[in-house]
Amino acid sequence: MDKIKEIKDLIYEKLNDVSSLEQLNNLKVEFLGKKGLITEANAKIKDIEVDKKKEYGMLVNELKSLFQEKYDENKKRLEDEIIKAKLEKDVIDVTLPGSIINIGSKSPIERIIDEVEDIMISMGYDVLDGPEIEQDLYNFELLNLPKGHPARDAQDTFYIKDEELLLRSQTSPVQIRAMLADKEKKGIRMICPGKTYRRDDDDATHSHQFTQIEGLIVDKNISLSDLKGTLDVIAKKLFNENVETRFRPSYYPFTEPSVEFDITCFNCHKKGCNICKNTGYITVGGAGLVHYKVLENCGYDSNLYSGFAFGFGADRLAMLKYGIKDIRTFYTPHDLRTIKQFAKKEGI
Amino acid sequence: MISLNWVKDYVDLKNEDVADLAKKVTNIGINVLDVSSNYIPNLKVGKVLKVEKHPLSDHLNICLVDLGNEKVQIVCGASNVKENIKVIVATVGAILPGNFEIKKSIIRDVESNGMICALFELGLQEKNEATKALGIHILPDTAVVGEDACLFLGCDDTILNLDLNPNRFDCNNHIPFAYEVAAALNKKVKLPDTSYREIIAQDEKFNLEIATPNCFMYNAKIVKNVKIGPSPEFIKRRLEAVGIRSINNVVDISNYVMLEYGQPLHFFDKDKLGNNIKVRMAYANEEVITLDNNKRILTPDDIVITDGDKVVCIAGVMGALNTMVDLNTSNILIESAIFNPMNVRYTSLRLDLRSEASLRYEKGLNYEYCNLALDRACHLLEKYADATIISNKYEYDNLKKEERKVNVTLAKINSILGMKLNDEDIIKSLDRLCFPYEKNNDNYLVTIPNRRVDVNPNVYDIAEEVGRVYGYDEIKPTLPVVSIKSGSYTPKLKLKKQISSYLQSLGLNEVRTYTLISEEEDKLFNYKQEDSIKLLKPMSKDKMIIRQNLLMSLFKIVNYNLSVKNKDIMIYEIANTYDKKLVEDTKIAFILCGSYVSNLWQHKDMKIDYYLTKGLVCLLLDYLGYQNRYSFKISDNLPCEIHPKVNSIILIDNEEVGYIGKVHPNYSKEDIFVGQLSLDKLLAKKVGNIKYKPLNRYPVILKDLSFIVDDNIEALDIIKVIKKEGGKLLNNVEVFDVYKGDNIEKGKKSIAFSLTFEDYNRTLTDSEVDILFNKIIDGVVKKFNAILRDN
């Protein structure tokens, strides 16, 4: 029993303030190892009188618990100290730059196209495409622009090999193809963003290659006010809710009536600013009700069906939206410092 | 260009504000681009009272000028200034053309309060040596001192510059424009006087023959004894206001009438012409010397006017020198005709002779005005050139002249415009347009006036006319009332979008480049050395061929960026290309150069190399669902811009869909990696949906092994053997080390694989895996003469 007391005091003494994990482990061996003090004390139970065995056992167990308690205490304290010391060493300069993971971006024109597509798909319009090398038939003839028509002047065209094949001067041939493909003549809702080509000398506002977004609906009782409302939806989504659409009388061989559509300046709201050249309005594109001859060329009964079509330049809208002054920026030279400005989402 | 003073002859514009008029006319579709005035305020008639030499100058004079209410001192440099002449004085505050403001000034110590003007300084004459030599303009004595000099000169006109839609080029003429002004302002049009006296000349023998169906209408009249001289002031001023130089009364009248009606006229010297007009198609290679003294070679597509034999005019384009009206002309044949617009267009384009007249012929003319213009010319020649008009009129008329009438209803017009107009609105609009109509209950029978060749007898055309006059601003936005349906992309566009956004997520930047390229560019990255597709008439050398690949366009971008010291260039483009048979192929092309991940200060850049390039392509192909269906194979058949050893073609289901490779050192010192795939080929390879596979509940057994093999043995070949020997239980094989150098014989390499064995239904035993493992070793050793390395 005295031995027990002695071990107990020893535990209190030796495990009072252990200075390293190594020392702590040595103590474990000293007390609980094969020849440890507690192990040995435990072994002595066989020499204890029967009626005291139980009490002795309890005392030895108490010793074990006490040791474990002290051991754990020390271990926790020592490990905490080690981590604390490690943390002290883990010093970084948070102002040094992070690693650069180069992130991709979408071309500004494609951004405009995507936005328009989202709006139009939500209103049930399909997105279609068509060949860029087109037949005169689809690019002009069926659009009520027969050979020799003066309005062909306005779309000075790149011809290929003979005068029947050309680089499309507008995306309208996609509309023609869609109307012809509507065999059951049930009507159509589609848009067709795409590349177009005209014999323009490249400068800040002209490009021989540009991007049109055209839209078409053919159904029953489609009116000019439906056109205005649809364009209004697009303008509001692309710019902001305050933007309104205005029509001005115009002329296209493939629409009747024909209009040009402007939007109120998204920047100044009609007050006049640099962007709208103090007019309060921005010219966006051309539109109108599909010409009855075009409908009939494509097999629709123009007494039953009507439709509207519109078209505008994605380049121009991107220039307006992002404040780009030179249309060539979209095509050349693609300086990375330009590109990287578009690795960002739209503003809210 | 339109002279507003001229328009005032036809429409009452008293008290109309010019800016308001321009706005209203623009609103109905006749776009007024800008409004300018040739009136300059603060110009006065002055009388020079005294002229003294400037004491400090040889050529300057000090003049005392009476301006009526004051006498001012002006320093003048003109040599023709003298006492007692009346002159134009720009007083202090006047702003002359070129934004030159007249200020009180001191010229060599002498005060000057204004400027005595020459005509060129007022923009009334061209500035040249001749007009400068004229000196200051001396006004006739009838000018009243102190009055407005501009008004005295007749410079009080407002000029409207129009930007017309192609169907309304007629509005470049004053009468058609007046109709639009009247419609915009709700006023009436008064047409000019076309009356004249006629002399009956029985002995006149003249023969008109039309020998081509391309002459639709031909009217001619003979006028005699014209006195050629200067035009009256109003004709001069008006022609000059719209940019046409005044020549003499006869020539001016022909232009004046054209600018009134839009009907071009041609005046022949009747004495040079003789007694015959025959209109026919030209013979091939027939020659004529035109008014501009150029020899023209004709074709059978050109309509010509002849004197029965030789050409005297290329119809609608230009007259011939042989019958030109000159200062000695006294008898004239006036031609007012309508020709096939297509022929005039082709001829004027071919000869590069597009004149005011030919442009009008091309757009199509109105037969009413064809007759009226002839009469108007007779009227003016009688009045201003003392001409005697011979009563005979020589006419040919082969025009179809059906009256253009159309039935429209209020309901239909409203359904087209999406408006709620009432009868009163329609009536008001038709009245403004001067479109006659008969109303019968709900129906309007509208007659389209002949002057409106652009309007067809169709309800849509009438709706457009009503709409533009009523005002499109009144249209309230609505959305189509149609059945609901879903909108979608075509499969190809959808795939294109998916690839595009995946490439962006891998760090690539989308670019758009030109489809048209130069011959030099066409040679770059030309895969199969295909023939080029050339444009028929290219605009310039750098845009003459339709490209067949995208890489050279991207390569240009990379070189540009390298030249401006931009690094880490990762770009792609998806665009259509065409082969020589014009078959479309949408290609996905990309170029990578620099670091994929960069960290300068820690020196931890991840440089782009072949394997990173391949890794990105694999990611894309896995994303597209081609896992386990593709492979990479080195090729010696790629464009010469590609490194012969660092490249591979990409195969899906053993079909080539594209290639990747390093740019050949001949073409760039930088490490540049390129790739191009065919979107159309990918689209043709169908893929299934994602099928979820549950995780294996049983443990896997991992085994590593490495071999020494000949350096030229490809990893994939070894893997194929390992997989074959390993059988179903071998789930995965990965290369985890390749080593050449110390401890390895030259020409050999060590290659290490990590193998994963598993079964989804049970726990594998060590012994069965060991059997497979040994089988694999034996297989590889035998097949490749490999040596197993101990680990």
Side-chain angles (χ1 to χ4, degrees):
Chain A
M1 291 298 170
D2 288 348
K3 188 73 184 163
I4 296 283
K5 172 86 174 52
E6 201 178 301
I7 294 173
K8 195 172 182 176
D9 290 346
L10 216 51
I11 289 174
Y12 276 113
E13 182 191 324
K14 291 207 167 178
L15 278 92
N16 181 31
D17 194 12
V18 185
S19 61
S20 73
L21 282 173
E22 195 188 1
Q23 193 190 347
L24 187 66
N25 276 330
N26 290 339
L27 288 168
K28 193 167 186 175
V29 175
E30 191 180 331
F31 286 91
L32 289 172
K34 274 183 184 168
K35 290 181 176 169
L37 294 170
I38 299 175
T39 318
E40 279 178 355
N42 192 38
K44 284 199 178 113
I45 197 160
K46 62 179 190 299
D47 306 330
I48 304 295
E49 297 150 43
V50 177
D51 58 333
K52 295 213 171 138
K53 264 190 203 268
K54 192 177 175 188
E55 192 193 347
Y56 185 82
M58 277 172 63
L59 284 171
V60 172
N61 280 340
E62 265 172 32
L63 275 185
K64 278 185 189 166
S65 303
L66 178 68
F67 179 85
Q68 195 60 45
E69 190 185 309
K70 289 286 166 193
Y71 176 88
D72 288 349
E73 256 172 35
N74 278 288
K75 192 175 181 201
K76 169 111 184 26
R77 180 178 51 79
L78 287 167
E79 279 175 353
D80 282 354
E81 273 168 19
I82 287 168
I83 285 174
K84 205 176 158 200
K86 192 171 184 297
L87 288 181
E88 287 297 325
K89 270 205 274 177
D90 282 348
V91 178
I92 58 162
D93 178 352
V94 296
T95 64
L96 281 167
S99 297
I100 296 160
I101 300 164
N102 286 296
I103 206 67
S105 63
K106 193 185 282 179
S107 92
I109 290 181
E110 210 64 41
R111 294 172 81 108
I112 298 286
I113 291 174
D114 277 4
E115 282 200 70
V116 176
E117 285 172 351
D118 283 352
I119 301 162
M120 299 312 285
I121 284 177
S122 78
M123 295 196 286
Y125 289 72
D126 294 325
V127 184
L128 307 182
D129 64 353
E132 287 165 42
I133 294 182
E134 255 300 356
Q135 298 174 40
D136 188 273
L137 179 70
Y138 296 113
N139 195 70
F140 287 128
E141 296 258 337
L142 291 174
L143 284 157
N144 200 26
L145 268 153
K147 289 210 173 63
H149 194 293
R152 283 194 179 201
D153 280 5
Q155 298 189 13
D156 208 350
T157 307
F158 289 112
Y159 284 93
I160 302 158
K161 285 172 186 161
D162 55 56
E163 300 247 322
E164 291 305 317
L165 273 181
L166 46 82
L167 274 175
R168 66 181 179 195
S169 59
Q170 46 191 348
T171 48
S172 314
V174 187
Q175 300 188 4
I176 294 291
R177 286 170 179 274
M179 286 191 274
L180 291 171
D182 177 24
K183 296 282 180 224
E184 291 168 51
K185 298 301 164 201
K186 280 182 174 170
I188 284 180
R189 252 176 280 172
M190 54 98 59
I191 62 166
C192 47
K195 287 176 191 161
T196 45
Y197 307 86
R198 289 183 196 175
R199 302 174 69 91
D200 265 330
D201 284 319
D202 293 347
D203 62 24
T205 53
H206 297 86
S207 179
H208 73 280
Q209 176 179 323
F210 57 106
T211 313
Q212 268 198 338
I213 303 179
E214 287 193 13
L216 167 75
I217 182 170
V218 176
D219 215 301
K220 287 173 183 161
N221 300 315
I222 302 296
S223 71
L224 266 192
S225 63
D226 295 335
L227 171 63
K228 203 179 202 179
T230 305
L231 293 173
D232 225 35
V233 170
I234 299 173
K236 283 181 162 62
K237 291 268 187 193
L238 271 182
F239 295 101
N240 60 54
E241 281 299 318
N242 300 319
V243 168
E244 285 165 21
T245 313
R246 174 177 81 171
F247 280 171
R248 283 180 294 118
S250 188
Y251 169 75
Y252 299 101
F254 31 80
T255 48
E256 184 86 23
S258 300
V259 297
E260 267 177 84
F261 62 97
D262 305 337
I263 54 169
T264 53
C265 179
F266 56 87
N267 184 51
C268 66
H269 306 298
K270 289 202 240 183
K271 285 189 199 87
C273 68
N274 276 341
I275 290 174
C276 60
K277 299 193 184 94
N278 284 314
T279 60
Y281 285 89
I282 291 168
T283 302
V284 178
L289 294 189
V290 183
H291 199 289
Y292 43 90
K293 283 186 190 157
V294 175
L295 285 176
E296 275 156 20
N297 286 343
C298 296
Y300 291 98
D301 180 347
S302 68
N303 292 315
L304 277 175
Y305 282 89
S306 56
F308 67 64
F310 62 83
F312 52 84
D315 309 62
R316 186 175 151 66
L317 281 194
M319 286 167 84
L320 286 169
K321 183 156 187 174
Y322 303 116
I324 295 167
K325 299 275 179 268
D326 192 327
I327 191 170
R328 289 168 293 197
T329 313
F330 299 126
Y331 301 100
T332 185
H334 288 294
D335 194 304
L336 279 186
R337 291 165 292 185
T338 305
I339 288 177
K340 289 295 176 192
Q341 296 181 43
F342 293 92
K344 221 189 217 180
K345 71 183 243 323
E346 299 295 326
I348 299 168
Chain B
M1 280 195 288
I2 291 289
S3 146
L4 212 56
N5 277 353
W6 196 337
V7 176
K8 281 176 189 164
D9 284 1
Y10 317 128
V11 188
D12 177 14
L13 296 180
K14 236 175 264 157
N15 304 327
E16 291 294 342
D17 175 60
V18 176
D20 184 57
L21 179 143
K23 198 176 157 202
K24 284 180 172 159
V25 173
T26 299
N27 280 346
I28 64 165
I30 310 299
N31 301 317
V32 178
L33 209 55
D34 55 66
V35 177
S36 60
S37 170
N38 61 5
Y39 176 76
I40 304 170
N42 300 321
L43 295 188
K44 282 187 174 177
V45 176
K47 185 173 182 180
V48 182
L49 298 176
K50 211 159 78 183
V51 179
E52 283 172 4
K53 277 265 160 230
H54 191 297
L56 299 174
S57 166
D58 303 340
H59 69 280
L60 293 177
N61 293 301
I62 303 167
C63 309
L64 183 66
V65 184
D66 182 6
L67 293 176
N69 55 349
E70 57 175 340
K71 293 183 175 67
V72 296
Q73 178 175 293
I74 296 174
V75 176
C76 177
S79 57
N80 63 335
V81 67
K82 55 187 181 203
E83 288 176 7
N84 288 321
I85 53 169
K86 288 183 179 171
V87 292
I88 305 160
V89 177
T91 61
V92 172
I95 297 170
L96 303 188
N99 211 15
F100 173 48
E101 190 180 344
I102 304 298
K103 291 175 185 154
K104 186 173 186 164
S105 60
I106 309 287
I107 299 172
R108 298 200 191 170
D109 295 343
V110 178
E111 188 179 302
S112 182
N113 297 291
M115 182 172 119
I116 303 174
C117 301
L119 285 182
F120 76 83
E121 288 165 325
L122 302 178
L124 295 174
Q125 273 179 348
E126 236 179 286
K127 184 178 177 179
N128 56 37
E129 288 311 312
T131 55
K132 278 195 224 165
L134 292 174
I136 54 168
H137 185 65
I138 299 170
L139 293 171
D141 212 34
T142 48
V144 179
V145 171
E147 287 199 344
D148 191 314
C150 238
L151 292 182
F152 180 80
L153 291 171
C155 295
D156 57 343
D157 206 351
T158 299
I159 293 100
L160 305 180
N161 192 6
L162 305 180
D163 176 23
L164 294 170
N165 292 319
N167 63 330
R168 290 312 309 270
F169 281 163
D170 59 318
C171 289
N172 269 324
N173 306 299
H174 288 75
I175 292 171
F177 181 77
Y179 273 103
E180 294 302 322
V181 173
L185 303 178
N186 197 14
K187 294 201 168 166
K188 291 280 165 261
V189 172
K190 190 182 104 226
L191 290 175
D193 193 355
T194 52
S195 65
Y196 50 85
R197 282 175 297 125
E198 289 181 318
I199 306 296
I200 296 169
Q202 253 107 20
D203 60 336
E204 202 65 49
K205 284 189 196 118
F206 193 83
N207 186 35
L208 174 67
E209 187 194 344
I210 308 297
T212 168
N214 291 319
C215 175
F216 299 158
M217 187 176 223
Y218 202 97
N219 295 316
K221 257 182 115 58
I222 294 167
V223 300
K224 293 200 159 177
N225 305 322
V226 293
K227 305 270 175 305
I228 299 212
S231 280
E233 281 300 312
F234 80 95
I235 290 187
K236 256 194 221 172
R237 292 286 164 233
R238 287 177 181 183
L239 289 179
E240 279 164 3
V242 299
I244 291 188
R245 210 151 50 91
S246 168
I247 294 171
N248 60 47
N249 53 354
V250 172
V251 175
D252 286 0
I253 283 169
S254 130
N255 282 327
Y256 190 83
V257 173
M258 174 177 78
L259 291 168
E260 285 187 308
Y261 291 92
Q263 170 68 49
L265 300 176
H266 188 70
F267 291 180
F268 296 96
D269 184 316
K270 168 74 174 58
D271 299 316
K272 294 178 190 166
L273 174 70
N275 286 326
N276 279 304
I277 284 274
K278 182 179 179 182
V279 183
R280 59 168 167 82
M281 301 313 285
Y283 307 129
N285 297 319
E286 195 168 6
E287 288 177 6
V288 58
I289 295 170
T290 44
L291 289 175
D292 55 0
N293 216 355
N294 279 319
K295 185 156 91 178
R296 310 285 177 175
I297 315 284
L298 303 175
T299 76
D301 283 331
D302 303 324
I303 310 166
V304 289
I305 320 296
T306 68
D307 63 358
D309 174 27
K310 62 180 188 297
V311 175
V312 293
C313 182
I314 305 173
V317 179
M318 196 180 258
L321 203 57
N322 54 19
T323 49
M324 185 174 87
V325 172
D326 58 37
L327 292 176
N328 300 318
T329 298
S330 72
N331 300 322
I332 290 173
L333 179 91
I334 310 173
E335 166 201 291
S336 180
I338 301 178
F339 304 106
N340 187 338
M342 300 273 261
N343 292 80
V344 177
R345 183 176 149 85
Y346 283 130
T347 303
S348 68
L349 281 173
R350 199 193 76 245
L351 298 176
D352 197 17
L353 267 178
R354 301 194 92 184
S355 60
E356 291 286 330
S358 74
L359 285 172
R360 285 170 170 79
Y361 281 112
E362 278 179 28
K363 303 297 172 192
L365 296 167
N366 149 29
Y367 71 89
E368 251 176 32
Y369 286 178
C370 186
N371 290 320
L372 277 173
L374 185 62
D375 291 339
R376 176 68 172 159
C378 291
H379 170 87
L380 292 173
L381 285 170
E382 181 184 49
K383 204 164 168 183
Y384 299 109
D386 292 336
T388 307
I389 319 295
I390 307 299
S391 63
N392 298 14
K393 187 176 177 189
Y394 307 96
E395 292 174 285
Y396 169 83
D397 184 353
N398 191 30
L399 265 182
K400 274 183 244 140
K401 284 187 288 283
E402 9 180 293
E403 239 192 356
R404 291 177 304 161
K405 291 191 174 193
V406 57
N407 281 305
V408 302
T409 61
L410 176 65
K412 184 68 185 173
I413 285 177
N414 275 331
S415 84
I416 290 169
L417 297 175
M419 294 175 90
K420 289 183 179 118
L421 303 180
N422 56 35
D423 278 310
E424 203 184 311
D425 298 327
I426 301 280
I427 288 168
K428 223 166 124 185
S429 299
L430 291 174
D431 284 345
R432 282 178 159 219
L433 289 160
C434 294
F435 278 24
Y437 60 88
E438 290 162 40
K439 187 172 186 315
N440 205 337
N441 298 325
D442 286 344
N443 193 64
Y444 295 81
L445 182 59
V446 179
T447 304
I448 296 157
N450 287 315
R451 63 190 161 80
R452 292 299 303 279
V453 288
D454 61 303
V455 180
N456 291 312
N458 185 292
V459 64
Y460 281 88
D461 289 65
I462 302 300
E464 178 169 50
E465 289 297 314
V466 169
R468 76 180 176 100
V469 171
Y470 189 83
Y472 286 146
D473 285 351
E474 304 304 317
I475 296 179
K476 300 273 171 290
T478 57
L479 285 173
V481 179
V482 288
S483 55
I484 287 174
K485 77 184 240 326
S486 70
S488 58
Y489 288 105
T490 61
K492 181 169 168 180
L493 280 174
K494 191 169 181 182
L495 182 64
K496 183 184 160 192
K497 294 255 160 203
Q498 286 166 333
I499 291 173
S500 198
S501 65
Y502 196 74
L503 289 174
Q504 284 161 28
S505 72
L506 290 177
L508 279 73
N509 298 284
E510 182 184 39
V511 296
R512 271 172 112 79
T513 55
Y514 295 129
T515 303
L516 293 174
I517 55 169
S518 67
E519 262 178 336
E520 289 71 42
E521 288 170 315
D522 186 48
K523 288 179 190 128
L524 288 172
F525 294 96
N526 196 336
Y527 194 177
K528 310 262 159 141
Q529 295 298 322
E530 295 237 31
D531 294 345
S532 326
I533 316 161
K534 285 191 182 142
L535 291 182
L536 203 57
K537 287 179 208 148
M539 283 175 76
S540 59
K541 281 193 163 177
D542 61 332
K543 305 180 200 87
M544 59 189 299
I545 291 170
I546 298 174
R547 66 179 170 182
Q548 299 186 31
N549 84 80
L550 310 179
L551 281 175
M552 46 76 216
S553 305
L554 300 189
F555 192 54
K556 216 164 119 183
I557 296 175
V558 169
N559 285 330
Y560 164 82
N561 275 292
L562 290 170
S563 76
V564 296
K565 309 279 181 252
N566 287 335
K567 50 195 189 78
D568 307 341
I569 305 151
M570 291 180 276
I571 52 172
Y572 78 95
E573 178 169 17
I574 305 179
N576 292 344
T577 60
Y578 294 86
D579 68 13
K580 68 171 175 198
K581 284 177 189 153
L582 303 177
V583 176
E584 184 178 281
D585 182 28
T586 305
K587 289 201 169 79
I588 308 153
F590 62 85
I591 296 199
L592 310 171
C593 170
S595 297
Y596 192 66
V597 176
S598 59
N599 185 318
L600 272 178
W601 64 274
Q602 284 182 309
H603 314 291
K604 283 203 309 200
D605 282 14
M606 182 192 248
K607 290 276 176 216
I608 289 158
D609 60 6
Y610 169 82
Y611 295 106
L612 185 100
T613 308
K614 179 180 174 179
L616 294 177
V617 172
C618 291
L619 277 175
L620 175 68
L621 296 178
D622 288 346
Y623 165 74
L624 295 175
Y626 301 117
Q627 211 156 11
N628 302 324
R629 284 169 64 184
Y630 58 81
S631 57
F632 291 75
K633 213 166 89 183
I634 194 155
S635 167
D636 51 10
N637 199 21
L638 290 172
C640 59
E641 290 81 4
I642 304 293
H643 194 299
K645 303 281 181 196
V646 186
N647 74 60
S648 50
I649 52 169
I650 305 159
L651 303 117
I652 297 180
D653 304 338
N654 292 318
E655 193 203 334
E656 187 181 333
V657 295
Y659 67 88
I660 55 173
K662 184 175 176 174
V663 173
H664 194 294
N666 282 349
Y667 294 88
S668 180
K669 289 190 183 81
E670 304 287 328
D671 290 343
I672 300 173
F673 294 85
V674 305
Q676 187 164 270
L677 289 98
S678 160
L679 182 87
D680 286 285
K681 282 185 180 158
L682 292 179
L683 187 66
K685 306 259 174 230
K686 298 290 165 232
V687 288
N689 276 332
I690 292 173
K691 273 218 176 92
Y692 172 72
K693 190 177 169 191
L695 300 179
N696 191 357
R697 290 184 291 131
Y698 299 96
V700 298
I701 295 178
L702 297 174
K703 292 261 182 195
D704 292 348
L705 84 172
S706 69
F707 298 102
I708 294 170
V709 292
D710 285 349
D711 202 4
N712 60 4
I713 290 170
E714 290 185 340
L716 184 64
D717 289 334
I718 305 176
I719 289 174
K720 278 180 185 163
V721 172
I722 294 174
K723 281 190 169 166
K724 189 178 142 239
E725 301 293 343
K728 275 194 303 186
L729 298 181
L730 176 64
N731 192 292
N732 193 30
V733 185
E734 264 174 57
V735 177
F736 73 88
D737 186 50
V738 177
Y739 177 74
K740 286 182 242 184
D742 287 354
N743 304 326
I744 303 290
E745 200 183 321
K746 215 174 166 219
K748 303 257 181 190
K749 67 182 167 191
S750 153
I751 182 162
F753 300 89
S754 166
L755 316 182
T756 310
F757 295 89
E758 61 183 316
D759 192 309
Y760 273 69
N761 300 315
R762 63 190 174 88
T763 303
L764 293 175
T765 63
D766 285 343
S767 59
E768 64 181 329
V769 170
D770 284 344
I771 293 170
L772 286 174
F773 193 59
N774 289 328
K775 213 177 137 223
I776 288 168
I777 292 167
D778 285 350
V780 172
V781 166
K782 238 186 244 162
K783 172 99 192 200
F784 301 104
N785 200 17
I787 300 162
L788 178 70
R789 289 189 90 191
D790 306 323
N791 294 311

